[in-house]
Amino acid sequence: MRRFTPAVLAALTLTTALTAVPAAQAHTARPALGFDRCTAGACHFDVPPGTYDVTVLLGGETASSTAIGGETRRSLLPETAVPAGERVARSFTVNVRTPEGEPTGPAGTPGLDLVLGGSAPALADIRVTPARHARQIFLVGDSTVCDQPGDPYAGWGQQLPQYLRRGVSVANYADSGESTVTYLGNPQLWATVEPQVGRGDLVLIQLAHNDKTTDEATYRANLETLVVGVHARGGEPVLVTPIVRRWFNADGTLNNGTALLVNGLGVDHPAVIRSVAAAQDVPLIDLTARTKALVESLGVAGSKALYLYNEKRDNTHTSVHGATVYAGLVRDELVALHLVPRGTVRVG
C-alpha cells in the first residue's frame, strides 16, 4: 500500500490570488488553492481552463519517493527521492483544457486533477496559482504523440511535461488517427489550436503515420499551411519527423518503408518533412533518425520494451517507458536547437 504523508507547512504558503486564465478575463480574487483540496493520493482544484503553476513540497518523516501525474495520464513531475525528515520544493506549469485529453475525446473532469505516484509518495504541501507569463508548447500530432486515455498506451507528448520546469507548459492537441488532411479539416483540431498560439509559443508538428493515401504534393502543401498559420500568429513552428515503426529487416536494420514511414504511394514522409523545413527555414527535430538509431542499437529483443510488442504485438505505438524515452529525445533536441533555455528543462 502506498504511503501518503500530509504535513501542511506554513513556510510554503503563497499569497497570489487565483483568477481565471487568460489574464484578459475579469479578475476574481480568491485565495491560492492548496493542500485542503487533497485527499490520500490525489488533489482536485476547481479551476477554469487555462495555464497554472503548481508548487509542491515533497517529503515526510521517513524516506519518500514521489512522482506526480495529472489530467489524462500526463506525467508532470518525475519521481523525486527525499531523505527522511527533509523537504524538497518542486514546481511545474500545467495546461488545463476541455477536452482534457485528446481533442476529439471525452470532456473529462472539469478543473485540475493531480495524482501522486512513485514507490513511496509523500506530499507535504501544494499550491496552485495562475501562470501569468508561461510559454506554451503546442503539440500537433497523432496517436504516437497524444495524451492516450488508457494503459498500456502512451504518447511521447504525454510524457514531455515531466521534463519541463515552471514557466513552460505543454498543450497537447495531438489526436489519434489524424493525418495532415484530417487535422486541417476538423474544426476541433487545427481551427481550435491556431487561434490560441501566441507570440513566442512553439508548435511542434508530427503528422505522418496516418497519411497513408496522401499524395506528396498534398502532404507538402498541408505542412506548409500549418507552418504559415503558426507564423501568422507570431509563434514558432517546429517540424518533427515521425517516430519509426519497430519493423526490422533480417540484418537488424530498419531500412524499409514500413519502419521509415513511406506510404503506399511511395511518399517518403520524413524526407518531405525535412525538405519543407529547409525550404521554409523552420527548425527540424529529426525524430525518425533519432528513434531509428536507438531502436537499432537496442536490437530486436531490447527494443520491444519501447513499443507495445509484448502487450499488443504493436510495433507502432509506444509503452509508457518508450514514450518517456522518446519524450527525452524531443527535450534534448529542443535544447540543442536553442528553442528552450537549458534552465527550463529537467535532465535525467
Side-chain angles (χ1 to χ4, degrees), residues 53-302:
D53 290 330
V54 179
T55 300
V56 295
L57 200 65
L58 305 176
E61 296 310 309
T62 59
S64 63
S65 187
T66 309
I68 298 179
E71 298 297 90
T72 303
R73 301 178 63 238
R74 297 181 220 164
S75 293
L76 301 171
L77 188 71
E79 188 157 357
T80 303
V82 181
E86 296 186 16
R87 304 290 189 270
V88 171
R90 292 289 185 269
S91 60
F92 54 88
T93 301
V94 60
N95 172 256
V96 177
R97 60 184 182 271
T98 303
E100 70 176 34
E102 294 181 89
T104 63
T109 305
L112 171 61
D113 288 285
L114 302 176
V115 179
L116 298 185
S119 58
L123 179 67
D125 200 11
I126 185 168
R127 288 292 183 270
V128 174
T129 56
R132 297 303 185 191
H133 304 290
R135 186 185 192 192
Q136 298 282 7
I137 299 179
F138 290 93
L139 303 182
V140 169
D142 52 36
S143 58
T144 65
V145 185
C146 75
D147 287 351
Q148 287 281 0
D151 187 67
Y153 292 89
W156 63 254
Q158 199 166 22
Q159 301 300 314
L160 185 60
Q162 67 183 300
Y163 290 121
L164 301 172
R165 300 182 187 274
R166 178 173 174 168
V168 183
S169 172
V170 175
N172 190 352
Y173 282 85
D175 197 71
S176 294
E178 306 300 344
S179 65
T180 57
V181 176
T182 61
Y183 204 95
L184 285 167
N186 189 330
Q188 294 175 281
L189 299 173
W190 182 238
T192 298
V193 175
E194 186 178 14
Q196 298 183 63
V197 177
R199 186 163 301 278
D201 288 339
L202 296 177
V203 183
L204 275 56
I205 301 164
Q206 186 215 282
L207 288 166
H209 280 87
N210 300 301
D211 279 279
K212 298 174 183 177
T213 60
T214 308
D215 63 80
E216 183 169 339
T218 300
Y219 185 64
R220 179 180 297 272
N222 288 344
L223 292 175
E224 292 171 346
T225 295
L226 292 166
V227 167
V228 169
V230 175
H231 276 150
R233 296 289 303 175
E236 184 164 10
V238 181
L239 291 178
V240 183
T241 60
I243 66 170
V244 294
R245 292 190 177 98
R246 185 189 163 278
W247 200 269
F248 283 94
N249 297 325
D251 63 359
T253 67
L254 299 178
N255 297 316
N256 59 76
T258 300
L260 300 181
L261 283 297
V262 178
N263 75 8
L265 301 179
V267 180
D268 185 332
H269 292 107
V272 175
I273 295 169
R274 296 179 189 117
S275 174
V276 172
Q280 297 293 319
D281 192 25
V282 300
L284 172 75
I285 294 178
D286 199 340
L287 202 53
T288 304
R290 292 293 303 270
T291 56
K292 177 178 184 293
L294 177 59
V295 170
E296 288 181 340
S297 71
L298 292 172
V300 174

